[in-house]
Each structure stands twice: as C-alpha cells, then as structure tokens.
Amino acid sequence: NYQAAAAGLPAQAEREMVFDAESATLHTTAAMLVPHFHDGQEPRAAHTDHLIELLRDAAHHSLNARRALTLTARVAASLDKTDLRVMLTEANLRALVRLCGASELFGEMLASNPTLIETLTIEHERIADRDYRALLRAAIDREKNYGAELAALRRTWMRLLVERGARDAVGELSLSESNEFQTALATASINAALLIARRELARRFGQLAAGPRLAVFGLGRLGSGGMDYGSDLDLVLVYDPLVPTPIAGLTHEEAYARLAELMTTALSSMTREGHLYRVDLRLRPDGKNGPLARGAQSFLDYFRSDSAQIWEWLAYVKLRATGGDLELGRMIEREVRRLIHERARHIDKEELRNETRRVRERLERERAARPARATDIKFGAGGMLDVYFAARYLQLRDDVRDDEDAGRSTFATLTRLHAAGSLNDEDQRALSDGYACLRALDHSLRLIAGRSSHLPAAPDHPLLRDLARRNNYDSADALTHALSTHMKEIRAAYDRITGGDC
C-alpha cells in the first residue's frame, strides 16, 4: 500500500488496512479496471489510487455501499477475464457503482455483459423516444438462422432494458414511466419473436402457402399496461380461420401450434445471451387442454357460451391486443370485452360476488407467503390482488367499461369506478393510496433484489432498510408500519365491496 508506506504507518496498521475487507475489495477492483482507463501517459499506480478513491466515494453515495462494491467487483472481474475493450470514464464508472448499489438485478446483468457499461451515460434525449420495434427488427434482419436471430434479439433487448432501467434504478424515472417503457419493450419483443417464428417456419416447411394471420393478446400486467422487471407475459393467441393455413398439408390448428411454439421459444428459451420473459399460455380457453392458438370464431363462441367461467371474465376484462395482426386483434378484443360485460349484466350478483371471493381466497390460501411474519404484498391479505379483484368485480357488477383514452391501469380503473359511483370516497382512497404503496414497494423489490412480492420477515433485514430509503421512509420501522396500515385498510375496503366480514 503506497499511501500507507509513504505516511510511515506502523506495519501492523498497514496490515490491518490491507486486510480490511472493503479496502481489499477496492484495491482488487481498481487494479482490474485500470487497463480500461490507462492512457499510456500516467503511471498505472497513480491511476489505481485515483480509482480507489473514486470507487469508495461513489459506493458511499449509493443506496447500499456493500452491494455497490461487491457487484462492481464482479463486473471488474468479468472485464478482467475477457479481451473486450470497454472505455471507462469517471462518469460511467460512477454511474456503474451507483447502479450496482441500487440494483442487484442490473448489477448482475452488467457482470454477465460488461460492455453494457457504455449505455449508462447515454444522453436522456437519445433514449427517450426509441422505436423499440424498429431496433429489434433491425437486429434480427442482419441474421440468417434461428439461433443467430435469438442471440441478436437478446443482445439488443438487454441493451435497451439496461440503458433505460439504469435510470429507473437510481430514481430518474417515475413508476408510471417505467411501466410504460417496459410494456412498450415487451410489446416490441412479442412482435420481434413472431417475426422470428414466421421466418423459421418458412425455413422448416418451405415457402408458406399463406401469410399467417395471428393476433397476440396480453392479460395481466401486459394487458393493463403495467409491465415491470421480471413480469411474466400472459399471452393468448388467436388466428383467422378464413385465411388458408400457412403450411400446406397441416390444419390451421397444427400450423399455428408450430408458430406459437417457435414464438414462445424466441421469447422464453434460455441461451448463452439469457432469456427475455417467462411466457404463460395457461389462461387460454380450456387451459392446458386447449390448443395453443385458437380460431377467432371458436374463441368468440367460447365467451358466448357457458364454457367461460367467472374467473375468466375477471381476467379477460383487461384483454388487450398487443402483437401480430392488430386489425384482427382489436376487433376480437372489443367483442370479447363486450360479451363479458353483457353476460355479467345478466348473472345473479350474488353468484358474481361469491365466485370473486372464492377465487381470491383460493389464491391467498395457495400462494401467499408461508414463513412466520413474512409479508406477501401480492397474494397476502390486503395485498395487490385484493385491489385487482375488488376493481374488476365492480367493473362487472356495475358494467363500468374501460375507457381506451384514459388507460386500463388499476389506478385509472379505480378513478373510473369512483366517478361512476361504484366506489365511495373512503374505499377509493384506501384502495388507491394502498395500491400506490404496494406497487412502489413491489417495483423497488424487483429493482433491488430481482424478486417481487415477498418482504423479508426479519425487521432488521438490510433489504428493508434499502426499501425504506428508496421510498423516502425515515426507517424500516416506518415503512413496515405504513405498509401494515395500508394493507389493513385495503382488506377492509375489499371486504366492504365484496360483502365479506370485516
């Protein structure tokens, strides 16, 4: 240690400095980063000392200094093992350390692909209006086979996610801006995956007999425009049976099943470059027993008949055409939501209420966190599902339909229900304020720890302190107290709305 020796510190003190965990991490990390700063004019040791101080300062100004140094060290080690040349500046190194301190999710991404460091300081104006669909397509168009297309899609997707998500992690995006960005990226990814699937179908079966006419629909967060880090894609696929089958010799159902499998693989398979999303097709009509893709007439007939259950109404009331043939998709979307509201108008309200509560209680019983004192902010009592089920139940009970211009988010739905007189002031405030708290914590959990829903059981857990700091609470105790209050108020409002015992 040059500084310690120059200062004439005793040998014991010098050894203590060297073996101090933080100091050791700083020295090792700086040494691995120096080659990416060295300009050939200044001595390497001088660069190392400068980097040590820069790393220390940036870490201690981040959300979590220990996480910042640990993940930055992993990124540096990844750089050290590769021949890739990444030009580091003070600006992007500070941005890297700050991001690592704020997000394990993005720190791990950068450790697996350190060239992404260069995206951290791109000007906001350059990324604000990205055409994600065009950028993903351009990356795919350069490739000639299925594997290369999957790799190009993943590399481009990750770069787009990091350049915007890095700003989200350090508080430069609002939650609504983040949801909007992630929903747009997911939508573009679905269309890119469908393009890859169509090309691979042609490679395997020869020139297609007809262009596939397939609409891709989103449910859940994709349907409501609330995608977040790690959100699944809940998809439903519907084709036009009046157009000839794309593959001569195969039925519509067989041909579109192959297209669906290729598209799902493009989105969800794990490759060297990672994966994009988990894809869930289980919400399609007849679930796992139904075809992967369904003809449009059969799909509509399903919702005209008694086959569609009330739980499906609650899910499909937020159906949204997101990819493929949007003309076909929007026509089907409008008709399905009309059918659901029409059938809900004629059902016994007590049956609607009882079935809503039954489904919600089953999810709480089967999915809520089990460990003692753990808090599940999604499936637990007073969690986000209480808000979802209350809002959708009222939409069906009172025939309050989504307004496309006002959006379909849960916040927009609660506002619309209040304006329609379905929600009184007390319940609207309890659900809206409580949901805002839950969504902010869920978003922070995804960013910081790469997971959602479950808060640590231990009251002194470091993650709770990080969550409190990121969400502007004075302490972890203040956060848990506010959360407990909101969840109790949400459950009380849910019980009042659905007629349960308070």
Side-chain angles (χ1 to χ4, degrees):
N1 185 294
Y2 298 113
Q3 290 178 323
L9 293 176
Q12 179 62 32
E14 182 178 343
R15 282 195 295 271
E16 289 175 357
M17 290 180 62
V18 170
F19 289 106
D20 172 76
E22 181 179 302
S23 180
T25 299
L26 285 165
H27 279 75
T28 303
T29 304
M32 290 187 288
L33 293 176
V34 158
H36 298 275
F37 273 85
H38 189 53
D39 59 12
Q41 296 178 356
E42 296 182 28
R44 177 167 291 199
H47 275 293
T48 302
D49 290 343
H50 174 65
L51 287 184
I52 288 170
E53 293 309 312
L54 190 157
L55 291 168
R56 178 183 285 115
D57 181 68
H60 285 279
H61 282 86
S62 72
L63 180 67
N64 184 307
R66 177 176 293 182
R67 184 190 303 116
L69 292 178
T70 299
L71 288 172
T72 302
R74 290 194 58 189
V75 175
S78 183
L79 272 175
D80 198 46
K81 293 174 185 176
T82 181
D83 294 330
L84 294 173
R85 185 72 177 178
V86 177
M87 297 304 295
L88 293 178
T89 64
E90 284 204 19
N92 62 24
L93 183 55
R94 284 188 180 277
L96 169 65
V97 178
R98 187 182 180 198
L99 177 59
C100 287
S103 175
E104 186 171 332
L105 171 70
F106 284 107
E108 295 288 358
M109 283 186 184
L110 289 164
S112 67
N113 188 353
T115 60
L116 293 171
I117 294 170
E118 295 172 352
T119 70
L120 301 183
T121 51
I122 297 176
E123 296 86 350
H124 175 74
E125 292 73 18
R126 288 178 55 194
I127 66 174
D129 298 314
R130 294 279 203 214
D131 184 338
Y132 300 125
R133 185 170 181 176
L135 291 168
L136 293 177
R137 172 148 194 168
I140 294 164
D141 281 344
R142 292 191 288 267
E143 308 302 336
K144 303 300 181 184
N145 62 68
Y146 189 57
E149 288 169 348
L150 296 194
L153 174 62
R154 281 150 176 71
R155 286 193 299 269
T156 307
W157 177 87
M158 186 172 288
R159 182 169 291 271
L160 293 171
L161 185 71
V162 169
E163 70 178 17
R164 198 75 181 269
R167 287 150 180 82
D168 188 6
V170 296
E172 294 176 6
L173 292 183
S174 68
L175 177 56
S176 62
E177 288 171 332
S178 179
N179 292 155
E180 182 181 352
F181 143 66
Q182 292 186 71
T183 301
L185 182 59
T187 300
S189 301
I190 290 167
N191 282 291
L194 183 56
L195 174 62
I196 291 172
R198 289 180 60 171
R199 291 180 175 180
E200 184 61 12
L201 206 64
R203 293 186 192 107
R204 296 185 185 186
F205 293 94
Q207 184 174 355
L208 300 182
R213 194 177 188 208
L214 179 76
V216 183
F217 298 91
L219 296 170
R221 290 202 170 188
L222 180 61
S224 62
M227 286 292 291
D228 212 332
Y229 304 106
S231 292
D232 293 353
L233 294 181
D234 295 312
L235 301 182
V236 179
L237 310 177
V238 180
Y239 61 83
D240 183 354
L242 301 180
V243 173
T245 175
I247 304 173
L250 295 183
T251 66
H252 282 88
E253 186 174 311
E254 291 168 338
Y256 282 102
R258 284 163 173 75
L259 184 66
E261 289 166 355
L262 289 168
M263 187 192 80
T264 301
T265 298
L267 288 166
S268 63
S269 66
M270 181 61 71
T271 71
R272 288 181 57 188
E273 287 79 16
H275 81 294
L276 307 189
Y277 303 96
R278 292 184 298 272
V279 175
D280 192 344
L281 299 173
R282 293 174 297 175
L283 292 177
R284 65 187 186 271
D286 296 320
K288 64 181 181 180
N289 296 319
L292 291 180
R294 203 176 190 105
Q297 192 60 51
S298 172
F299 185 70
L300 293 173
D301 286 345
Y302 183 85
F303 287 95
R304 292 188 180 108
S305 72
D306 292 334
S307 298
Q309 305 297 304
I310 290 175
W311 72 263
E312 291 174 294
W313 299 356
L314 292 164
Y316 275 78
V317 76
K318 295 296 184 183
L319 184 73
R320 184 170 71 93
T322 58
D325 191 316
L326 290 180
E327 181 184 11
L328 173 67
R330 286 169 181 152
M331 177 190 70
I332 293 171
E333 171 197 316
R334 287 192 296 270
E335 181 63 9
V336 167
R337 292 197 284 128
R338 186 193 70 78
L339 287 169
I340 288 172
H341 279 282
E342 190 65 25
R343 293 201 64 202
R345 284 177 57 197
H346 295 96
I347 195 174
D348 180 74
K349 302 308 179 189
E350 188 72 6
E351 182 181 355
L352 178 62
R353 181 188 72 82
N354 289 339
E355 184 63 8
T356 300
R357 288 191 66 86
R358 185 192 69 79
V359 176
R360 171 64 184 108
E361 288 164 7
R362 179 175 62 80
L363 289 171
E364 183 178 342
R365 186 171 59 252
E366 295 176 358
R367 303 287 296 275
R370 294 284 184 263
R373 295 186 295 146
T375 302
D376 188 328
I377 61 175
K378 181 177 181 181
F379 292 99
M384 288 183 283
L385 285 191
D386 275 8
V387 184
Y388 298 151
F389 275 87
R392 295 181 189 195
Y393 163 70
L394 289 175
Q395 278 194 277
L396 296 182
R397 188 195 71 183
D398 297 347
D399 194 20
V400 179
R401 308 191 183 197
D402 282 327
D403 179 348
E404 294 307 306
D405 294 333
R408 298 187 201 173
S409 70
T410 300
F411 289 116
T413 301
L414 293 174
T415 299
R416 197 172 304 117
L417 289 166
H418 182 246
S422 299
L423 266 180
N424 63 35
D425 291 348
E426 179 186 8
D427 290 342
Q428 195 267 345
R429 186 165 49 251
L431 294 179
S432 294
D433 292 351
Y435 185 68
C437 172
L438 295 175
R439 277 303 308 273
L441 288 177
D442 178 71
H443 183 64
S444 297
L445 269 170
R446 292 169 185 268
L447 276 170
I448 295 171
R451 69 169 193 256
S452 65
S453 300
H454 299 102
L455 292 182
D460 58 347
H461 196 286
L463 179 55
L464 283 178
R465 295 197 295 271
D466 286 348
L467 288 169
R469 184 176 174 189
R470 177 179 166 81
N471 290 280
N472 300 315
Y473 290 95
D474 292 336
S475 65
D477 285 343
L479 182 154
T480 54
H481 175 74
L483 177 62
S484 175
T485 300
H486 280 304
M487 292 183 75
K488 288 176 182 176
E489 291 175 349
I490 287 173
R491 174 46 63 99
Y494 169 80
D495 282 334
R496 287 191 294 270
I497 290 164
T498 61
D501 295 327
C502 297

